[in-house]
Amino acid sequence: MPENSAPLMSLEHVSKMFAGYEALGDVSLDIYPGKVLCLLGDNGAGKSTLIKVMAGFHQPTSGTIKFEGSEVSFKSPRDASDLGIATVHQFGGTFPLMSLGRSFFAGVEPTKGRGPFKRFDRKFANKVVVEQMQDMGITRVTNGDRLVGSLSGGERQVSAIARAVYFGANLLILDEPTAALGVKEAAHVLRIIMQARQRGIAVVLVTHNVTHAMTVGDQFAVLIHGRRADYFSKGERTRDEITDLMAGGEAMEELEAELSALAGDDVTSSH
């Protein structure tokens, strides 16, 4: 793993139980500033539970979380947010019927005026959101009064990432940001991830897409049934090795054998 730099966040032997069911078991990971850690795994592998532990939604049943070298215990997502940990969910966590300016500053609204005359500073909010979106390459957004619902899926993702960066995120957790996007939009979101990385932000990217992971990732962790099945750096595994591991290599071999047998039966029966 990266040399000459200390991890921003470390998970040490983290487990999480839900009513006797082990969702995570003995997971250890290091997340570095200016690096992208890709969390890979099939549905039910434990990826969502793991990022919820990182973001303060769940407390680990056992194990330790360290942030900047000190042990931390998140009681809520607010505790994680106060340390600069921001999570962007698949659909950007946005409000379709809200304006871009209001959505960008939801919960931290800028105001003007005093006392009973205090009100939302729409002009400032709109100016900032347009600047931030354009800075991230979304040049067609020129008006902060525009509704969030009028944006494409990729633009909503970029808006949510821009918001996190604007408010000082130093660890960005992205949950399947490209899953519902076409090729062009996915490429733009991957570019934004690279921009965040270049700014020194640590990124955790949850994805099913091995191609996307290999494009932007520095480190990779593969989860199977809540346990870390593999942990490696860029260039240490081939695409096929990663895909095979995510699918569970033996299961894939069995499936291929069954399909070959069925194909053979079809050929026989057609004669």
Side-chain angles (χ1 to χ4, degrees):
M1 294 302 149
E3 295 175 9
N4 305 324
S5 70
L8 179 69
M9 176 183 270
S10 295
L11 276 64
E12 299 174 357
H13 308 293
V14 166
S15 297
K16 179 64 182 175
M17 304 284 289
F18 291 106
Y21 164 71
E22 186 183 69
L24 289 176
D26 196 36
V27 175
S28 296
L29 294 172
D30 290 321
I31 300 154
Y32 290 87
K35 300 288 181 188
V36 178
L37 169 67
C38 296
L39 281 183
L40 301 162
D42 212 343
N43 289 331
K47 304 186 303 295
S48 292
T49 304
L50 183 56
I51 62 170
K52 283 177 178 175
V53 167
M54 290 179 188
F57 287 92
H58 295 321
Q59 287 72 52
T61 306
S62 61
T64 303
I65 301 174
K66 288 182 178 175
F67 194 85
E68 295 182 327
S70 300
E71 190 171 331
V72 291
S73 177
F74 300 140
K75 303 298 182 202
S76 70
R78 170 69 67 180
D79 289 348
S81 176
D82 288 345
L83 289 177
I85 299 168
T87 305
V88 175
H89 298 285
Q90 189 172 333
F91 299 103
T94 49
F95 313 95
L97 298 178
M98 199 179 269
S99 74
L100 277 171
R102 278 201 175 271
S103 171
F104 196 87
F105 285 95
V108 282
E109 289 83 359
T111 56
K112 61 181 179 182
R114 292 184 178 184
F117 302 103
K118 190 182 283 189
R119 62 200 184 279
F120 177 66
D121 191 342
R122 184 169 137 253
K123 188 177 178 183
F124 173 79
N126 288 353
K127 176 174 172 285
V128 168
V129 74
V130 169
E131 284 173 356
Q132 295 303 309
M133 291 288 281
Q134 297 218 348
D135 190 42
M136 292 279 186
I138 308 295
T139 51
R140 77 187 190 97
V141 171
T142 56
N143 183 355
D145 281 328
R146 185 174 172 171
L147 294 183
V148 170
S150 70
L151 299 182
S152 68
E155 287 169 339
R156 287 196 205 189
Q157 282 291 328
V158 172
S159 169
I161 293 170
R163 182 183 192 275
V165 172
Y166 178 79
F167 285 107
N170 50 27
L171 171 54
L172 198 52
I173 300 170
L174 306 176
D175 187 9
E176 299 278 5
T178 60
L181 305 182
V183 174
K184 212 169 183 179
E185 289 221 298
H188 189 78
V189 171
L190 294 175
R191 250 195 315 273
I192 298 304
I193 292 170
M194 295 302 284
Q195 279 183 30
R197 179 182 178 271
Q198 285 163 0
R199 294 181 190 209
I201 297 169
V203 179
V204 174
L205 171 63
V206 177
T207 182
H208 279 84
N209 193 308
V210 177
T211 303
H212 293 172
M214 293 185 78
T215 303
V216 298
D218 298 292
Q219 302 161 259
F220 304 82
V222 179
L223 294 183
I224 297 177
H225 303 311
R227 292 186 170 263
R228 198 188 80 188
D230 204 358
Y231 191 34
F232 52 92
S233 296
K234 193 177 186 76
E236 292 180 351
R237 302 284 184 279
T238 65
R239 187 190 317 269
D240 287 346
E241 283 172 337
I242 299 170
T243 306
D244 200 37
L245 182 62
M246 282 172 65
E250 291 175 12
M252 285 301 288
E253 282 178 26
E254 286 172 21
L255 178 60
E256 283 169 11
E258 281 179 36
L259 291 174
S260 296
L262 285 170
D265 289 345
D266 288 344
V267 169
T268 307
S269 61
S270 65
H271 286 296

